[in-house]
Amino acid sequence: MNSLLWEEAIRFHGHECPGLAIGIKACEAIISKMNIKPNKDEIICITENNTCPVDGIKYVFGCGYDKKNLFYKESGELAFNIFNTNNSDSLRVIYIGKNNTNSKDEYTKYILNGNIDELFDFSEVKYSLD
């Protein structure tokens, strides 16, 4: 995990928490799995939650409700449907990590240092941009 990115994301979000860690780690997974180049590829996200992880998406990819490249459709899952408009690639990323500790700090470290293939499930996008 890039510590500078993490520190900047904390400033953007306002505090350090496991939710922000999930969002930042999801971005790392999305970049890796979709070969996305931040600040070059145009990303649209349909998030299935409206909690702290969304700030990771906002910070890393520059998505925002006001920019019309971030949309919210509640499903009860910590999931993000990502579309790369430059090449029509898409991916659904769902957080499946487990909190095996009573400490927020330890849980945050577990997420930030975890393997993306153990923390997330990857599948076809659930929604359409139409």
Side-chain angles (χ1 to χ4, degrees):
M1 170 57 56
N2 179 325
S3 61
L4 178 60
L5 174 68
W6 176 240
E7 292 302 319
E8 290 172 347
I10 292 169
R11 279 192 293 282
F12 176 82
H13 182 60
H15 65 273
E16 182 175 338
C17 67
L20 180 62
I22 291 168
I24 293 296
K25 197 68 175 187
C27 290
E28 179 183 309
I30 292 161
I31 289 166
S32 173
K33 297 291 184 180
M34 294 180 73
N35 196 27
I36 287 175
K37 293 163 186 56
N39 302 320
K40 294 197 182 216
D41 288 321
E42 188 166 328
I43 304 304
I44 294 174
C45 175
I46 300 174
T47 179
E48 297 180 34
N49 67 86
N50 196 22
T51 57
C52 294
V54 177
D55 271 358
I57 299 291
K58 289 178 181 179
Y59 181 73
V60 173
F61 295 129
C63 292
Y65 299 113
D66 59 333
K67 295 179 181 178
K68 305 288 187 218
N69 61 356
L70 180 62
F71 302 92
Y72 171 55
K73 295 191 179 204
E74 177 63 45
S75 74
E77 294 189 88
L78 283 174
F80 305 99
N81 299 274
I82 304 297
F83 302 84
N84 183 341
T85 62
N86 290 354
N87 61 16
S88 301
D89 284 349
S90 61
L91 182 67
R92 184 169 189 245
V93 180
I94 308 162
Y95 179 73
I96 58 169
K98 303 290 183 221
N99 184 358
N100 295 324
T101 179
N102 292 327
S103 164
K104 284 174 64 174
D105 290 340
E106 289 299 316
Y107 186 38
T108 299
K109 287 178 188 169
Y110 157 77
I111 296 162
L112 293 175
N113 296 318
N115 180 306
I116 59 173
D117 291 311
E118 294 172 8
L119 293 173
F120 299 97
D121 183 47
F122 305 94
S123 61
E124 289 184 32
V125 168
K126 187 175 180 177
Y127 300 102
S128 169
L129 288 178
D130 300 333

